[in-house]
Amino acid sequence: MTGGIPAAPLTDEELTALVDGLAGLPYGGEAVDQRTHALQTAWLARDAGADDELVVAAALHDIGRARPVRAEHPGLPHEVAGAEFARRRVSERAAWVIAQHVPAKRYLVATDPAYHALLSPASIASLKVQGGPMDEQEAAEFAAHPLCADAVALRRWDDAAKDPDGPRLTMPDLLAAHARCVAARLA
């Protein structure tokens, strides 16, 4: 994991409560709830060979929608609230990737002609609210960031994690990935 050890790394109980607290929360008109979406995104990350830190970030990419995180960061967009939470409780890398998963959609629409066709109707509607495709300068600045590829990968997993019957990372697997992240930082 990049950066120092968070002030208070999440305990297994806290991480479980956060993810389980997403159950039943609607996911913007999609066929899955927030918990299913989170665990499916994490499964896709792990299936793609992502490291543990990115798998944890994938599971938590929409954590800014969780009730306790919203309460702690009222009025912030979910990606900003989630990043603030992750910065304190997970890692700086996870925080950046979480913060950038919305801009990554704008980037992909601007740079990948086939990407727009992959978006669900709800994602197309939210794209308009999020500012539409990036302009050339925004896209160049985004692409220049050293974690751009991580944010783009997360965005693609996010877009694919909307299948109510799709695979999901189990909580024990997520907790194990998180524990390895914490152990690596303490080593």
Side-chain angles (χ1 to χ4, degrees):
M1 291 175 97
T2 57
I5 297 168
L10 290 166
T11 65
D12 285 355
E13 294 77 18
E14 289 172 323
L15 182 53
T16 300
L18 275 171
V19 173
D20 286 349
L22 296 172
L25 286 179
Y27 177 50
E30 302 292 355
V32 295
D33 67 7
Q34 291 285 343
R35 184 179 188 277
T36 299
H37 176 65
L39 293 173
Q40 197 167 99
T41 304
W43 185 91
L44 290 165
R46 188 187 66 183
D47 189 57
D51 61 51
D52 288 328
E53 186 177 18
L54 196 49
V55 169
V56 172
L60 298 179
H61 77 280
D62 282 338
I63 205 63
R65 292 188 170 119
R67 286 180 186 97
V69 178
R70 282 193 336 252
E72 195 173 320
H73 303 285
L76 291 180
H78 83 280
E79 69 276 14
V80 177
E84 290 301 317
F85 175 83
R87 186 168 286 110
R88 284 189 347 278
R89 304 302 306 273
V90 183
S91 72
E92 187 59 42
R93 177 182 175 212
W96 193 86
V97 173
I98 288 168
Q100 297 305 311
H101 81 277
V102 170
K105 177 168 63 169
R106 297 181 60 230
Y107 170 78
L108 283 167
V109 170
T111 61
D112 180 350
Y115 177 75
H116 191 274
L118 302 174
L119 297 177
S120 68
S123 194
I124 291 169
S126 67
L127 175 64
K128 293 175 187 171
V129 174
Q130 295 158 343
M134 287 183 173
D135 64 32
E136 277 187 46
Q137 181 177 345
E138 288 174 310
E141 289 171 6
F142 185 84
H145 195 282
L147 296 177
C148 171
D150 289 345
V152 167
L154 174 56
R155 181 74 237 175
R156 291 188 184 277
W157 301 323
D158 181 5
D159 291 327
K162 299 174 181 178
D163 180 356
D165 300 317
R168 297 171 209 158
L169 195 66
T170 65
M171 278 307 299
D173 285 344
L174 178 58
L175 293 172
H178 181 257
R180 288 189 297 270
C181 290
V182 173
R185 294 181 78 138
L186 295 173

